[in-house]
């Protein structure tokens, strides 16, 4: 079956602009995650959705960042008033059902490379 | 707080040889999961192998095996018979999971593996 897909693959924007990044998880996966990966670093957690609700948004750096998953499938990460420090690769992952146990594996998409000029 | 440490920024290995990538972790949880991911230059995070804290045997998946030493809090990845296509970044990660309140992967800084002919 199809894996996690993310669009766009690359996004270049100017400081102060608004951007939306989209994630389409693996069909049937109930959990969805967003991570941010800066150059030379491992991914850092942003937010976790179980179904339509954000179960844990503790990783969002500030209130310029917001994410939604209105129908429990596709998710959009929204960044307002972008800053140069927001430049990174934004990774999305999905998993079958975390409630099934500690071994539930997260499968990642190819990421969106965001560049803020 | 949970933490993953990967002390090898880069490793070289000759084709067909075995290589070990180090990972140590810190957690106060009794039940936890450890994951290894591969990230080629294309950017996608590819799941390789999983080890649960209560698993009595070391995990194996094809040419990948995990040398799990619980008392030392280490979960090293062993790649046997290296191939040129194994050249990539490798990340060790620990799952932080608490019912439906939080579910996230904590990543190390990664090890860049280069396989030469």
């Amino acid at each position: 079956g199809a894996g996690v897909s993310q669009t766009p693959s690359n996004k270049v924007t100017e400081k102060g602009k608004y951007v939306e990044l989209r994630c389409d998880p693996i069909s049937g996966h109930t959990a969805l995650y967003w991570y941010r990966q800066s150059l030379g670093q491992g991914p850092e957690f942003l937010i976790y959705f179980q179904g339509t609700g954000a179960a844990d948004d503790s990783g969002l750096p500030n209130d310029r960042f917001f994410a939604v998953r209105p129908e429990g499938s596709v998710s959009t990460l929204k960044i307002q008033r972008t800053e140069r420090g927001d430049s990174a690769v934004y990774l999305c992952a999905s998993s079958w059902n975390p409630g099934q146990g500690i071994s539930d594996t997260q499968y990642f998409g190819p990421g969106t490379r965001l560049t803020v000029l | 707080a949970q933490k993953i440490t990967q002390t090898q920024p880069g490793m070289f290995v000759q084709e067909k040889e075995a290589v070990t990538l180090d990972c140590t972790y810190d957690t106060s949880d009794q039940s936890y999961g450890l994951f290894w991911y591969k990230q080629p230059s294309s950017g996608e995070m590819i799941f390789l192998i999983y080890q649960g804290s209560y698993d009595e045997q070391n995990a194996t998946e094809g040419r990948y095996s995990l040398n799990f030493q619980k008392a030392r809090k280490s979960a090293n990845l062993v790649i046997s018979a290296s191939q040129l296509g194994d050249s990539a970044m490798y990340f060790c990660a620990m799952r932080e999971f608490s019912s439906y309140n939080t579910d996230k992967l904590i990543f190390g800084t990664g090890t860049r593996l280069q396989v030469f002919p």
Side-chain angles (χ1 to χ4, degrees), chain B residues 69-80:
Chain B
Q69 298 189 38
K70 196 170 181 178
R72 294 185 178 183
K73 293 191 174 179
S74 73
N76 299 338
L77 177 70
V78 181
I79 305 174
S80 63

Side-chain angles (χ1 to χ4, degrees), chain B residues 34-102:
Chain B
L34 296 158
F35 299 79
W36 277 91
Y37 286 85
K38 172 184 178 181
Q39 188 175 43
S41 56
S42 60
E44 186 166 354
M45 299 285 285
I46 302 168
F47 166 70
L48 295 177
I49 195 167
Y50 161 80
Q51 179 82 45
S53 58
Y54 289 117
D55 294 341
E56 294 185 353
Q57 292 194 344
N58 288 340
T60 61
E61 289 285 350
R63 294 186 299 110
Y64 304 108
S65 61
L66 206 151
N67 184 1
F68 181 49
Q69 298 189 38
K70 196 170 181 178
R72 294 185 178 183
K73 293 191 174 179
S74 73
N76 299 338
L77 177 70
V78 181
I79 305 174
S80 63
S82 298
Q83 302 172 356
L84 295 177
D86 293 336
S87 295
M89 283 291 289
Y90 289 81
F91 290 96
C92 180
M94 171 179 286
R95 185 167 176 222
E96 182 176 328
F97 174 72
S98 173
S99 185
Y100 287 95
N101 295 325
T102 190

Side-chain angles (χ1 to χ4, degrees), chain A residues 40-53:
Chain A
Q41 301 295 317
E44 293 180 318
F45 170 79
L46 294 177
I47 187 169
Y48 153 54
F49 286 91
Q50 179 57 253
T52 61

